[in-house]
Amino acid sequence: MMAKTDTAQNPEANPLAEGPVLRQGRRADPLSGHEQPVAEAHVTQGESVSTTDVEQPSAVEVLGKQGEQDEQEWGPEADEVEAKTRQRRLRQLLRQCERVLLLDFNRLAMSDWPDNFSLAEARKHRDLWVFSALVAAVVFLSGLTGFVPAWLAGGGFGAFALIVLAGLPGIRRLYSHTPSHVDLLMRRQRLLREARKHVEYLESDTGLLWQCAAMADFNPALKTTRFSGLINLSERRALPAALTRREHFRLYLIYMLEAEKAYAQVESAYFKGHQSAIDEGWDSAVERTDNP
């Protein structure tokens, strides 16, 4: 009974009666590679923790963290290189296809082209004129042989002279403003000649239509199979000589209009990328922007 009392009054006599004391343990052994150090362990009195009991990251987690670290380190530089490459490609497309802006729509559309109805009417008038002149010439020649009276032959000669004079272009314009069959044919030839010269100017020595085929990613209409023949001729620098009909020039005009749409898309993408490069501070991607 006395022993219990002494123990209660003197706590130092029984150290086990003291509450648990928390003491800081030693640091874990350092890990190799990219492994993160284990947090300091706090152990209680009478307990021991070995480094093998601590959960360590696996090799997959280590490689994943390393890949994320590399991506964070090299990501911006890779984006800058990609932006620089894209801007260089867009500048090249703008440079090689800039002549598409020189397209003369009216010259290739040939709005003054004489239609088939006007040509048929002019052909009918020409045939009537030739027939009248032949009848008057037959009457005159018949009078020379004695088949018709002399006065009728003289009238035939006068009619023949008037008909022939009426068919001359200078006199014909005095009483009629309708173009003749010859005028319509000459107008067609002139329009074809002017359109061919304009195509030669556009194609130059590089083949504009073939160069514009590289913009097909911005306008899928440029990949249409009906343009394949024109693209092949443009690549061989033989396109202007092969355009001999109005339908050929109309097809060329349609392609150039689609190329204009693609050029506008390329230009928009270039300036948008230029602005993005400025915002990101990529100096190498915005070089030579004044002269694409």
Side-chain angles (χ1 to χ4, degrees), residues 12 18 31 35 48 56 61 64 89 94-95 102 108-109 114 126-127 138 142 169 186 218 226 230 249 272-273 283 289:
E12 295 179 355
E18 218 174 55
L31 302 179
E35 297 179 356
S48 62
Q56 300 180 359
E61 294 178 353
R89 175 58 177 165
L94 292 176
R95 187 181 299 109
L102 303 177
L108 293 181
R126 182 204 61 184
D127 296 341
V138 169
S142 298
M186 292 180 63
F218 295 88
R226 63 173 176 168
L230 296 178
F249 290 99
K272 190 175 297 183
D283 296 336
T289 54

Side-chain angles (χ1 to χ4, degrees), residues 4-252:
K4 292 182 180 180
T5 305
D6 293 341
T7 304
Q9 291 178 356
N10 188 11
E12 295 179 355
N14 186 10
L16 297 178
E18 218 174 55
V21 178
L22 298 180
R23 297 179 180 178
Q24 184 175 2
R26 69 179 182 85
R27 294 178 178 271
D29 295 337
L31 302 179
S32 60
H34 295 272
E35 297 179 356
Q36 300 294 333
V38 183
E40 297 180 353
H42 297 274
V43 297
T44 60
Q45 182 179 5
E47 295 179 355
S48 62
V49 180
S50 63
T51 57
T52 57
D53 296 334
V54 179
E55 184 179 357
Q56 300 180 359
S58 63
V60 177
E61 294 178 353
V62 173
L63 292 177
K65 292 179 180 180
Q66 183 179 2
E68 292 178 358
Q69 184 178 1
D70 294 342
E71 184 177 357
Q72 292 177 357
E73 293 178 356
W74 299 99
E77 296 182 2
D79 293 341
E80 183 177 356
V81 172
E82 182 180 358
K84 181 179 180 181
T85 303
R86 176 177 173 81
Q87 290 297 98
R88 185 186 300 112
R89 175 58 177 165
L90 293 177
R91 281 198 300 269
Q92 182 181 1
L93 288 176
L94 292 176
R95 187 181 299 109
Q96 69 187 18
C97 301
E98 63 183 352
R99 295 180 68 87
V100 74
L101 301 177
L102 303 177
L103 175 67
D104 190 344
F105 177 84
N106 294 327
R107 186 166 295 183
L108 293 181
M110 303 181 191
S111 56
D112 297 337
W113 182 267
D115 55 4
N116 294 332
F117 178 78
S118 300
L119 202 63
E121 288 292 325
R123 187 184 298 108
K124 185 186 299 183
H125 294 159
R126 182 204 61 184
D127 296 341
L128 181 61
W129 173 77
V130 173
F131 178 76
S132 302
L134 287 177
V135 170
V138 169
V139 172
F140 171 70
L141 294 176
S142 298
L144 295 179
T145 57
F147 287 101
V148 297
W151 63 271
L152 187 58
F157 177 77
F160 174 78
L162 291 176
I163 292 173
V164 171
L165 290 176
L168 297 178
I171 299 176
R172 191 177 185 278
R173 296 190 183 96
L174 298 177
Y175 65 90
S176 178
H177 297 286
T178 303
S180 62
H181 184 263
V182 176
D183 294 337
L184 296 179
L185 291 179
M186 292 180 63
R187 183 187 301 177
R188 282 190 171 186
Q189 295 298 324
R190 177 176 57 82
L191 293 175
L192 290 175
R193 185 169 56 254
E194 292 178 354
R196 188 176 296 108
K197 288 183 179 179
H198 185 58
V199 172
E200 291 178 355
Y201 171 73
L202 292 177
E203 289 293 311
S204 185
D205 297 333
T206 58
L208 176 62
L209 191 141
W210 173 60
Q211 297 284 348
C212 293
M215 298 189 297
D217 293 337
F218 295 88
N219 188 359
L222 299 179
K223 298 180 181 179
T224 308
T225 55
R226 63 173 176 168
F227 299 131
S228 59
L230 296 178
I231 296 175
N232 293 334
L233 291 172
S234 178
E235 184 178 3
R236 299 199 303 265
R237 312 298 189 270
L239 181 58
L243 302 179
T244 57
R245 301 175 59 184
R246 187 194 183 196
E247 291 78 8
H248 300 161
F249 290 99
R250 296 294 293 270
L251 185 62
Y252 183 87

